[in-house]
Amino acid sequence: VARLHHSIADGIALFQVLLSMTESSPNPSPSSKSQGLTHNAEQSPGGPTKTHKSTFLTSDNWSARKLWEEGEKIFSDPSHARHRTRQVIDLAVTVGGLVLRRPDPVTVFKGSLGMEKRAAWSEPIALQDVKMIGKTFNSTVNDVLLTTVAGALGRYIDFRGETPENVNIRSFVPVNLRPIKLDEELGNKFGMVFLSLPMGIVDPLERLRRVKRNMNEIKASSEAVATFGIINLLGAVPPWIEEIAVSFFDTKASTIITNVPGPQTQIYLAGAPINTTMAWVPQSGNIALGVSMVSYNGKVWLGIATDKRLVPDPETISEFFHNEFIEMLSRAQKVQAERQKHIQPMFAMLDDAIQTLDELLAEASKE
């Protein structure tokens, strides 16, 4: 068990560092070194950089040389100037929307934090089953997992005596802004988006549609890039201003949810097979609940880190997550069975047609 400070690197890079110590076989040759983490656009919340409309606020763009080149291009190319203007306006609107967004409703996840923390993790679920659910309902792996988490949190609020009906809470969702290819640099290269979790929707399919719609709207916006710029800006201001800003944005969400895709083949550490990977996402400010989803070798685990004063029993959320997933899997299996029921007669007709054609061809060859 290791605890690493987020100032070193973000989850994607830290996972890559840890995986660089592993091999793809128990007796590795120099060429069998594990490639570790690969960037899976389907599982990484928001996908890679190219899914965002703007990359104007990346750290590389702020060097003096880059700014000079950018200025020359703006003055010499009217179409580029219009493009950058649209980007600036889009970012300004996004930042304004973040600032003016209403605080999250008061639930069991909001309140004064204590000192003690709690952690729990789920039984593994099959990544193949998650993909099957996503394929059945035209959704991504990330949509399915986020929908399951939202259902589990809704059940937990109900379990604690509050009514989740018509209650939506927001979650901070880190979005990877690293390039699609493996990035060997450390540091933090991610933005944050505010995802609304429709916990009050009991029906899992309706909840999945809502989560998918919310995620699609976020992917089409510049929210991740805007928050990346805000995070970089806060690192350059006095600590007291940073604390005020963090406290302000903490009121806008109740949890943080992250999804880190790991290698989907068996890996080894010093010759011993690694059976499970687990991570817990850190929470900043007054966020009491952190949810991490980690996949490895065809399985997915849910890690839950909580503040004991507000959420003393994170294992209950883990249990509800498993129950929600079983329900979604059952619904998907029923849909698949219905589709097979309709397809089978068509296959039977096709078989009959092929058999008739074969018989006709056989008779024609005799003649």
Side-chain angles (χ1 to χ4, degrees), residues 199-211:
M199 301 183 307
I201 299 178
V202 177
D203 181 72
L205 301 189
E206 184 182 348
R207 192 188 323 124
L208 176 60
R209 286 189 288 269
R210 183 70 62 82
V211 168

Side-chain angles (χ1 to χ4, degrees), residues 89 215 228 295 355:
I89 293 173
M215 281 302 300
F228 177 71
S295 64
Q355 184 177 354

